[in-house]
């Protein structure tokens, strides 16, 4: 990405997050900033400066309270993200506090759909992202998401 584009993207992402914080739509910004945020809901890196709290979220599976998983990838991805969000809320955080996310996909055919859903779920948040194609623990799961958040 050209430096002018990178700078403009970074300013746009930062402005969007500040706007959400000012409107009371997010609890607090993480104590840092994304480096080279992408329009695809991720950043090349996150610089965290003096965090007060760090939350490590174990791999969240695409299961509901009964342990059931939907059969379609899109529904599984949204449910896994909602499960990540539930853990963040337990710590008084939101998606805007995410600084690092690792997504495990059971099949590389889901890459594009995963990217679309991630962008939809995260909104203006742009954590550092790694996607790994893996043999996931339960054969019915197509996705698992782990995360690190700071406040």
């Amino acid at each position: 990405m050209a430096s002018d584009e990178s700078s403009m993207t970074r300013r746009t992402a930062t402005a969007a997050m500040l706007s959400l914080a000012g409107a009371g739509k997010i609890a607090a910004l993480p104590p840092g900033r994304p480096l080279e945020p992408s329009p695809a809901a991720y950043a090349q890196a996150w610089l965290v400066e003096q965090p007060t709290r760090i939350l490590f979220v174990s791999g969240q599976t695409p299961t509901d309270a009964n342990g059931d998983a939907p059969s379609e990838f899109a529904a599984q991805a949204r449910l896994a993200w909602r499960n990540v969000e539930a853990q963040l809320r337990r710590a008084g955080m939101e998606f805007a506090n995410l600084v690092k996310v690792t997504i495990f996909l059971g099949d590389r055919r889901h890459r594009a759909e995963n990217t679309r859903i991630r962008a939809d779920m995260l909104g203006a948040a742009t954590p550092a992202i790694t996607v790994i194609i893996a043999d996931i623990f339960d054969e019915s799961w197509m996705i698992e998401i782990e995360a690190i958040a700071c406040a």
Side-chain angles (χ1 to χ4, degrees):
M1 181 179 292
S3 63
D4 289 344
E5 288 179 52
S6 175
S7 178
M8 188 162 82
T9 302
R10 187 171 37 256
R11 284 193 307 268
T12 302
T14 302
M17 290 180 72
L18 290 172
S19 175
L20 289 171
K25 294 186 179 185
I26 57 176
L29 295 174
R33 60 189 167 87
L35 305 176
E36 294 190 44
S38 163
Y42 78 94
Q44 292 295 323
W46 250 91
L47 176 61
V48 178
E49 300 167 325
Q50 301 177 352
T52 303
R53 297 179 302 132
I54 301 175
L55 176 68
F56 295 88
V57 180
S58 292
Q60 297 299 294
T61 62
T63 54
D64 61 20
N66 298 320
D68 298 323
S71 60
E72 296 182 0
F73 177 79
Q76 283 200 15
R78 290 184 186 284
L79 181 54
W81 278 112
R82 283 194 301 273
N83 290 341
V84 169
E85 185 176 32
Q87 298 307 317
L88 291 168
R89 290 197 184 282
R90 284 184 180 97
M93 297 183 190
E94 300 178 347
F95 285 143
N97 294 99
L98 290 173
V99 295
K100 176 67 173 101
V101 173
T102 303
I103 300 169
F104 299 91
L105 294 179
D107 191 317
R108 73 180 59 252
R109 292 178 295 168
H110 299 300
R111 288 180 309 174
E113 191 171 16
N114 172 63
T115 299
R116 283 190 302 276
I117 292 168
R118 181 184 72 230
D120 182 52
M121 296 296 292
L122 294 183
T126 56
I129 297 277
T130 299
V131 178
I132 299 171
I133 308 304
D135 189 16
I136 301 174
F137 182 77
D138 187 301
E139 290 181 6
S140 67
W141 301 343
M142 295 177 239
I143 188 170
E144 186 171 341
I145 304 169
E146 66 180 26
I148 301 172
C150 294

